[in-house]
Amino acid sequence: MLERHFRSLKVIDRIRAQWLGPQIERYVQSLDELHTGTATIQQNVRALGHFNEFVVGRGVQRLDQLPDHVDAFVSHWFAKHGKWCKSAQDRAAIASQSRLPVERMLCLALPGFTRPSHRPRMPFCVSAPGFFPFLLNEKGLRQATLHKYTYTLRPFESYLAQTGITLSALTPASITDFINTRAETLHKSGMLGTTGALRVFLAYLHREGIIANDLTRSLPRGRAYRQASIPRAISWPDVERLLASVDCRSDVGKRDYAILTLLASYGLRAREIAALCLDDIDWVHDQISIPMRKGGHSTRYPLSATVGEAIIAYLHVRRTDIADRQVFLAARSPYTPMRHTGVSCMVSGRMRSIGIQVARAGSHTLRHACVQHLVEADLPFKVIGDYVGHRHPASTLVYGKVAVHKLREMVIAQGEDVL
């Protein structure tokens, strides 16, 4: 198996001659079964070679002794390769270069060994351990909603730790101070989510007797006014420039171009792109189905020639040895289906790369651009709402504020025809 990823026979012999040589070769075989690229395998083997030298130098003679030396090896690796790190993200990346291959190899070499979880712990898991089970079991919230509570409560926990305030010593003043601090960085919608999550958390603390008084009234109840903002769309020339910037000669370029054409042509959401399956495309009748939309309904579109050609170009290079039926796969091993966050991040990154400036750039920006393009084509709002899958007509009416061509007609004294 090593011969598939290393050209030099001397290098292969040196790997096999190491004390951990059999375990390293077995690990390489597992990576190859996951279709891992050669460059990644070589990087992992290089780290495992250093781990072999490290444990041999420490006098380790049995495989079951290896887990006790993993943390020390990670610290040794970081001291050698992490001098350039400037942020926590940089430090985490360097640490994973050493920890990840070692722990994965030990999972294969030692029966019963499981990788310890390095994810950050849930907020308030010590002082209020029953809160997230309460959200899951009593309130019946989904995991995606629990993530939003984590996003809110983790900064709140950090704030309490920095100020030295315990939950039992919470006061309206301390809560107000935290809200004011978060308001410096969060959008209005983010502040509404923050106060809502805190209100549920404080009510739970009072119910469980962790705090003596009900502090939910100390949280302001913000309001989001309908039609108070305009959609964060980009102009259609910018959409065309975004599509033209994709290099379709590469496999990733073919995939991203197909995703971008779907977003711009049909105004799909990122979750709908990620959930799109091979069976949803009817090549015989030139149709594409979006089965589970946000409003609980489904939509069937005619498959345009541009979108169909883009999808076909990607399917020609899409891996055929993957059992998943989702159309779009990750670009790296183990080639799992793309998630909606990956779709949005891809769009955001490509917009930044060509200098498109828009607030909160992402996949939804192209959805707004699609609707705005239809509004400028003078299509009725009911037709537009049905086309993009809006459940309520009010969701479509917000785009009336970007119908600049109609407003211009009114300004130049042609408003009677417009109205």
Side-chain angles (χ1 to χ4, degrees):
M1 190 58 65
L2 293 174
E3 288 79 4
R4 297 184 58 178
H5 303 283
F6 295 90
R7 294 183 178 181
S8 174
L9 296 178
K10 292 183 179 180
V11 173
I12 295 174
D13 292 339
R14 185 167 63 249
I15 294 173
R16 288 174 172 164
Q18 294 175 339
W19 177 55
L20 293 176
Q23 283 70 35
I24 295 177
E25 187 166 11
R26 183 181 176 186
Y27 176 62
V28 170
Q29 181 178 357
S30 69
L31 293 180
D32 189 76
E33 293 173 353
L34 294 174
H35 316 290
T36 306
T38 295
T40 304
I41 290 179
Q42 292 175 351
Q43 181 180 5
N44 278 245
V45 170
R46 191 178 302 114
L48 292 175
H50 286 287
F51 180 66
N52 179 88
E53 297 175 0
F54 181 79
V55 295
V56 169
R58 286 189 155 205
V60 178
Q61 298 180 353
R62 300 196 319 270
L63 294 179
D64 58 0
Q65 297 175 331
L66 293 177
D68 299 332
H69 300 270
V70 174
D71 291 336
F73 172 68
V74 173
S75 300
H76 170 76
W77 179 277
F78 185 83
K80 188 175 181 180
H81 299 89
K83 297 179 181 179
W84 61 272
C85 295
K86 297 181 180 180
S87 64
Q89 186 176 4
D90 294 338
R91 292 187 289 271
I94 292 298
S96 66
Q97 289 179 0
S98 56
R99 183 182 298 276
L100 192 63
V102 169
E103 291 182 346
R104 286 180 173 176
M105 183 195 68
L106 293 180
C107 289
L108 298 174
L110 298 176
F113 177 83
T114 56
R115 290 184 58 210
S117 176
H118 301 288
R119 294 181 178 179
R121 61 183 181 84
M122 300 297 286
F124 298 105
C125 62
V126 176
S127 54
F131 178 65
F132 282 93
F134 157 75
L135 296 178
L136 182 64
N137 300 324
E138 293 191 36
K139 295 185 70 68
L141 301 184
R142 298 185 304 171
Q143 289 295 334
T145 308
L146 295 183
H147 176 72
K148 296 180 180 179
Y149 276 87
T150 303
Y151 177 78
T152 296
L153 294 181
R154 185 164 285 132
F156 186 50
E157 184 182 41
S158 300
Y159 166 80
L160 295 181
Q162 292 173 2
T163 55
I165 301 174
T166 61
L167 288 180
S168 58
L170 275 176
T171 61
S174 59
I175 296 175
T176 301
D177 185 52
F178 170 73
I179 293 297
N180 292 336
T181 303
R182 294 295 287 166
E184 297 176 358
T185 57
L186 288 181
H187 187 262
K188 179 172 60 177
S189 60
M191 287 303 301
L192 290 177
T194 296
T195 55
L198 281 178
R199 193 172 291 109
V200 175
F201 181 59
L202 293 175
Y204 170 81
L205 295 179
H206 178 62
R207 189 191 78 168
E208 298 296 318
I210 299 177
I211 58 177
N213 300 317
D214 186 3
L215 300 177
T216 56
R217 295 182 178 273
S218 62
L219 285 166
R221 287 188 175 272
R223 294 192 63 180
Y225 294 94
R226 182 175 296 177
Q227 316 294 355
S229 61
I230 61 174
R232 57 182 192 275
I234 58 177
S235 64
W236 199 250
D238 281 339
V239 174
E240 294 175 340
R241 185 161 63 94
L242 176 64
L243 294 173
S245 68
V246 181
D247 186 359
C248 294
R249 293 175 296 179
S250 65
D251 295 354
V252 176
K254 291 181 174 65
R255 183 202 68 180
D256 293 353
Y257 183 76
I259 293 175
L260 292 173
T261 54
L262 281 167
L263 290 169
S265 300
Y266 303 117
L268 300 182
R269 302 176 178 89
R271 292 184 183 274
E272 296 164 352
I273 292 288
L276 187 65
C277 294
L278 297 172
D279 305 315
D280 294 329
I281 305 175
D282 186 352
W283 299 105
V284 176
H285 300 95
D286 291 334
Q287 293 181 337
I288 181 171
S289 299
I290 310 299
M292 290 298 296
R293 310 209 72 171
K294 182 179 180 180
H297 58 275
S298 60
T299 306
R300 181 179 289 267
Y301 295 102
L303 185 62
S304 69
T306 302
V307 174
E309 292 172 359
I311 295 177
I312 289 175
Y314 169 64
L315 292 180
H316 279 310
V317 299
R318 180 188 182 274
R319 303 192 70 95
T320 58
D321 51 0
I322 303 299
D324 295 291
R325 299 293 292 173
Q326 280 87 338
V327 176
F328 299 107
L329 305 176
R332 295 183 179 181
S333 172
Y335 305 107
T336 55
M338 289 188 70
R339 303 182 62 184
H340 69 279
T341 52
V343 173
S344 189
C345 288
M346 180 275 292
V347 178
S348 175
R350 289 197 174 271
M351 285 185 182
R352 289 195 303 268
S353 67
I354 62 173
I356 294 179
Q357 301 295 330
V358 61
R360 294 185 293 164
S363 59
H364 228 65
T365 305
L366 292 182
R367 177 175 172 84
H368 292 316
C370 174
V371 177
Q372 180 173 336
H373 189 58
L374 297 176
V375 170
E376 294 173 352
D378 289 333
L379 289 178
F381 281 93
K382 179 63 170 64
V383 175
I384 296 174
D386 292 341
Y387 183 79
V388 297
H390 283 159
R391 182 168 50 180
H392 299 294
S395 302
T396 313
L397 291 178
V398 66
Y399 294 92
K401 293 183 291 185
V402 296
V404 181
H405 64 298
K406 293 185 178 294
L407 297 176
R408 185 180 296 114
E409 292 177 7
M410 297 180 65
V411 171
I412 62 177
Q414 296 179 2
E416 294 180 358
D417 297 334
V418 176
L419 296 176

